[in-house]
Amino acid sequence: MASTLTKPARPSAEPPAVRRRTRVLALPEARWALAALVLFLIGLPLDLLGAPAWTWGPLFAATYLTGGWEPAWEGLKALKDKTLDVDLLMVVAALGAAAIGQVLDGALLIVIFATSGALEAVATARTADSVRGLLDLAPATATRLLDDGAEETVATADLMVGDVVVIRPGERIGADGRVLEGVSEVDQATITGEPLPVVKETGDEVFAGTLNGTGALRVEVERDPSDSVIARIVRMVEEASETKAPTQLFIEKVEQRYSLGMVAATLAVFFVPLAFGAGQTDALLRAMTFMIVASPCAVVLATMPPLLSALANAGRHGVLVKSAVVMERLGQVDAVALDKTGTLTEGTPRVTDVRPVPGGRDTDEGRLLALAAAAEHPSEHPLARAIVLAAHARGHRLLPAEDFSSTPGIGVTATVAGDTVKVGAPARLLCGAEDARTARAAAVAASLAAELEADGHTAVLIKVNGMPVGVLGIADRLRPDAAATVAALTGLTGTAPTLLTGDNPRAAARLAADVGITDVRAGLLPQDKVAAVQERERAGSRVLVIGDGVNDAPALAAAHTGIAMGRAGSDLALETADAVIVRDELATVPTVVALSRRARGLVVQNLVIAGACITGLVLWDLVGTLPLPLGVLGHEGSTVLVGLNGLRLLREAAWQRAAATAASTAGTASTGTASTGSGS
């Protein structure tokens, strides 16, 4: 069944978690499936323990009704369009089983298909809720500036191109536009994935849904709110979700042909013997036996146990794979695209370098860091938090700061132990040296800052009483397992991953070099990431996208398979992705891909076993006389056999073997890279 997202409307005031719970409880598929499962579980022990039929019979009858009425009704409606789906066929098979006394088998079949439909409905509803929740990023109202200088509050949906809006400190920007006046730092991680706020001044572009810092801005609206980047993200997630329908259509065609063939064969098994003088009871028994042994239950269970076992095993190791279909698709990927911030990196800026200006008054690294941390302590800027954390980590006691002030885009100023300390952007703080000594120190500091920036770091200057005394280097720290993960994914897919990031090219290139990625695409907006993924898929690749932010959600949805980093991931990315790395252990990605490939191998084994058993039983029923108990025994025996075969992937050893496979492919990939390099 293909799933489509409804067009999102502005969400209610309820928290997203409450909306999701309400939406799940409101789903009729979930309610009916739960009722069928509860009734079946109550009746099962009564039947197995030999209780009188009047104790378990009504329970199983209620199971048939609650779990089967909806697919039966939908199937009957589909018949009006001359379509026969497998859900209706399973309901008929369940009723046929009950008609010849196999009530338990029919009830189990009903529960399996009702639960499957409920899980699909829940997944679709949660994704739709998450897409609607994205609209919470854009404020409901904006402050519009009138021609006479007065201000009015209007709904953001009513803004028009050419309107001028006032964005005050701490407010979210209501529309895509360009800064006319003011300077501020804007946190636009939701759009570009950049870990640090970006200075915005006259002429710079800003996006709806991003968070303004401490400065005030006047912004001219350049796009209709319905065409903002946030709105386009919503549309792209919907469109990408719908592009998965062709695969589903292929499955439906297979189901349709199988359904028609089975119905025709069952009717033939019933009517042909009658034409040759067979008794009606015998013909009916043979036809019902045929329907039982030809039922695809064994095939369904031949497929699901390996995938569900792998899914459960992955869950125990911190990888939430959202469905068995996703687990199967993971083993098909042959190309990988990775986000940078929060995926290959930890997503938190940290102080990496403390470089004193030679010949200055303060050349002790510890004192420089302590002074900078004391001055930055009152600030809420991410860079300030990184500096304070670094000072605490090195055991420095922070002196109290007085006369604190902050200027957006420039930095902070405070009095620490009688000294005036300034910490901020080198380009802004190194202007206008008053004497030759200060000018020389400024030149050295500028050189140090340039070195750090060339290496992909953010440079922060420290001045004490007007004299540049040191430069701090701040960068997002690489995950310890990033390089090994890239090597393992390269070995598994046969192709080196691509880096897709909204961060600046220098930082992206530096990180890519550290982990062994050569295909780097930096400065990307969400639509650019989608285009890069679609480009690879048009070339015939099955792309696995790994990301964490709202800006990654469209690419996660457009990809063959998407995986989100769970700890820092946005709600939309977590809902849109097919799998979530709950513990933020990047190294589990190649392991779960290897486990998926093992599961797909067992699926093939099980399909061969199930197909052989079904074929043998069907031929026996058609050519000879297959006793009903023996037919049920053969059918259920094959089901148990393939189920046990698939359950092997539940063991811890299965995960360890998958990890070993991923590690060995990483070694192979590294060897191949080294060989190529040595020969060039």
Side-chain angles (χ1 to χ4, degrees), residues 7-90:
K7 183 177 181 181
R10 182 163 296 282
S12 68
E14 294 178 325
V18 174
R19 289 201 304 270
R20 283 197 291 268
R21 287 196 295 269
T22 304
R23 181 66 177 266
V24 170
L25 294 175
L27 292 173
E29 297 93 341
R31 294 200 304 270
W32 290 117
L34 180 61
L37 178 61
V38 170
L39 290 167
F40 177 78
L41 292 177
I42 295 174
L44 179 61
L46 296 174
D47 185 14
L48 296 179
L49 293 174
W54 62 265
T55 60
W56 51 261
L59 292 170
F60 283 156
T63 300
Y64 280 77
L65 181 62
T66 54
W69 79 268
E70 190 170 29
W73 178 248
E74 293 299 325
L76 291 173
K77 290 195 295 184
L79 286 177
K80 294 181 180 180
D81 300 325
K82 300 179 180 180
T83 299
L84 182 63
D85 61 33
V86 75
D87 285 355
L88 178 60
L89 184 61
M90 290 305 95

Side-chain angles (χ1 to χ4, degrees), residues 50-241:
W54 62 265
T55 60
W56 51 261
L59 292 170
F60 283 156
T63 300
Y64 280 77
L65 181 62
T66 54
W69 79 268
E70 190 170 29
W73 178 248
E74 293 299 325
L76 291 173
K77 290 195 295 184
L79 286 177
K80 294 181 180 180
D81 300 325
K82 300 179 180 180
T83 299
L84 182 63
D85 61 33
V86 75
D87 285 355
L88 178 60
L89 184 61
M90 290 305 95
V91 173
V92 173
L95 294 175
I100 57 174
Q102 305 301 321
V103 179
L104 176 60
D105 289 346
L108 176 60
L109 187 59
I110 288 291
V111 169
I112 289 174
F113 276 86
T115 303
S116 174
L119 290 175
E120 180 180 2
V122 169
T124 301
R126 289 190 66 185
T127 303
D129 282 342
S130 181
V131 172
R132 279 191 294 272
L134 176 60
L135 296 178
D136 283 333
L137 290 175
T141 61
T143 302
R144 182 163 58 190
L145 195 63
L146 302 178
D147 293 338
D148 60 1
E151 298 179 359
E152 65 173 349
T153 301
V154 298
T156 52
D158 295 335
L159 292 175
M160 295 183 294
V161 175
D163 284 348
V164 177
V165 293
V166 177
I167 315 296
R168 292 187 168 84
E171 292 183 345
R172 286 196 177 271
I173 297 172
D176 290 1
R178 199 164 297 277
V179 178
L180 295 180
E181 183 181 332
V183 178
S184 187
E185 292 169 322
V186 175
D187 181 355
Q188 53 186 30
T190 53
I191 302 298
T192 66
E194 292 176 283
L196 301 175
V198 179
V199 175
K200 297 292 183 179
E201 51 192 2
T202 303
D204 289 338
E205 185 178 19
V206 294
F207 304 106
T210 55
L211 182 64
N212 186 29
T214 56
L217 299 174
R218 290 190 179 186
V219 175
E220 181 179 5
V221 177
E222 290 191 335
R223 294 191 189 96
D224 186 272
S226 63
D227 194 40
S228 68
V229 172
I230 286 289
R232 279 182 282 166
I233 290 177
V234 173
R235 288 198 296 271
M236 283 188 290
V237 172
E238 292 177 329
E239 292 167 0
S241 298

Side-chain angles (χ1 to χ4, degrees), residues 112-416:
I112 289 174
F113 276 86
T115 303
S116 174
L119 290 175
E120 180 180 2
V122 169
T124 301
R126 289 190 66 185
T127 303
D129 282 342
S130 181
V131 172
R132 279 191 294 272
L134 176 60
L135 296 178
D136 283 333
L137 290 175
T141 61
T143 302
R144 182 163 58 190
L145 195 63
L146 302 178
D147 293 338
D148 60 1
E151 298 179 359
E152 65 173 349
T153 301
V154 298
T156 52
D158 295 335
L159 292 175
M160 295 183 294
V161 175
D163 284 348
V164 177
V165 293
V166 177
I167 315 296
R168 292 187 168 84
E171 292 183 345
R172 286 196 177 271
I173 297 172
D176 290 1
R178 199 164 297 277
V179 178
L180 295 180
E181 183 181 332
V183 178
S184 187
E185 292 169 322
V186 175
D187 181 355
Q188 53 186 30
T190 53
I191 302 298
T192 66
E194 292 176 283
L196 301 175
V198 179
V199 175
K200 297 292 183 179
E201 51 192 2
T202 303
D204 289 338
E205 185 178 19
V206 294
F207 304 106
T210 55
L211 182 64
N212 186 29
T214 56
L217 299 174
R218 290 190 179 186
V219 175
E220 181 179 5
V221 177
E222 290 191 335
R223 294 191 189 96
D224 186 272
S226 63
D227 194 40
S228 68
V229 172
I230 286 289
R232 279 182 282 166
I233 290 177
V234 173
R235 288 198 296 271
M236 283 188 290
V237 172
E238 292 177 329
E239 292 167 0
S241 298
E242 293 172 0
T243 59
K244 296 178 181 179
T247 301
Q248 188 64 39
L249 290 175
F250 173 76
I251 294 173
E252 290 175 358
K253 288 179 182 178
V254 173
E255 291 177 348
Q256 176 73 4
R257 292 172 183 173
Y258 181 86
S259 301
L260 292 172
M262 185 174 171
V263 169
T266 301
L267 293 174
V269 170
F270 176 66
F271 285 111
V272 170
L274 287 179
F276 286 92
Q280 183 174 347
T281 301
D282 291 340
L284 179 60
L285 181 60
R286 183 185 294 268
M288 288 298 95
T289 302
F290 175 85
M291 178 169 283
I292 293 297
V293 299
S295 168
C297 288
V299 175
V300 170
L301 292 178
T303 304
M304 298 303 288
L307 297 173
L308 293 178
S309 297
L311 187 149
N313 202 336
R316 290 203 307 267
H317 291 87
V319 183
L320 173 62
V321 181
K322 294 186 177 180
S323 72
V325 174
V326 173
M327 178 57 74
E328 184 177 20
R329 285 207 308 262
L330 277 167
Q332 300 171 343
V333 299
D334 54 17
V336 179
L338 295 127
D339 174 49
K340 171 184 170 287
T341 304
T343 302
L344 287 173
T345 70
E346 295 178 347
T348 304
R350 297 178 184 271
V351 175
T352 58
D353 294 85
V354 180
R355 300 191 180 182
V357 173
R361 191 190 78 174
D362 296 295
T363 57
D364 179 77
E365 294 184 4
R367 172 172 166 75
L368 287 177
L369 184 59
L371 282 173
E376 290 278 18
H377 190 259
S379 174
E380 296 181 354
H381 194 283
L383 290 181
R385 290 196 295 270
I387 294 170
V388 173
L389 285 174
H392 284 312
R394 301 186 189 189
H396 298 303
R397 184 177 64 86
L398 302 188
L399 297 173
E402 300 175 349
D403 302 324
F404 173 82
S405 64
S406 174
T407 305
I410 296 179
V412 302
T413 302
T415 301
V416 180

